[in-house]
Amino acid sequence: MDERQLVDFSETVEAIYAAALKPERWPTAVERIARLHGAASAALLTPSTAPRAGGFIVPFNLSERSLQTWGQEFVHEDVWNRAS
């Protein structure tokens, strides 16, 4: 791991800890997680419960339309949740 990667990792961990103490910071933490992994978008969410049913989603760079489609059509088809 080069020095820049180590700094990015450390800053991401710090963002997660900050968000754990102040929930309004989760959008920043999710963005940092996505960037750490080289992802264009990401979401922290309750995998089997849509927001309308009491779940939550903290998106980064996802359109409102994409979020609505997931919540209406795919929340119960989550392959990652099934695999876990």
Side-chain angles (χ1 to χ4, degrees):
M1 183 179 288
D2 69 24
E3 188 171 334
R4 180 72 245 166
Q5 287 175 315
L6 186 57
V7 169
D8 288 344
F9 177 79
S10 295
E11 290 175 355
T12 300
V13 171
E14 287 177 20
I16 292 168
Y17 279 116
L21 296 173
K22 294 186 177 185
E24 66 272 12
R25 293 186 179 181
W26 276 113
T28 300
V30 173
E31 178 179 356
R32 291 213 51 93
I33 293 166
R35 294 191 188 283
L36 182 67
H37 291 281
S41 59
L44 173 68
L45 55 90
T46 47
S48 60
T49 307
R52 71 176 185 273
F56 68 86
I57 185 164
V58 180
F60 163 66
N61 205 24
L62 291 168
S63 70
E64 185 63 33
R65 174 90 170 121
S66 295
L67 296 172
Q68 288 175 356
T69 299
W70 169 79
Q72 293 169 355
E73 299 180 31
F74 300 108
V75 67
H76 299 295
E77 301 298 323
D78 189 346
V79 296
W80 300 112
N81 186 44
R82 283 191 213 167
S84 66

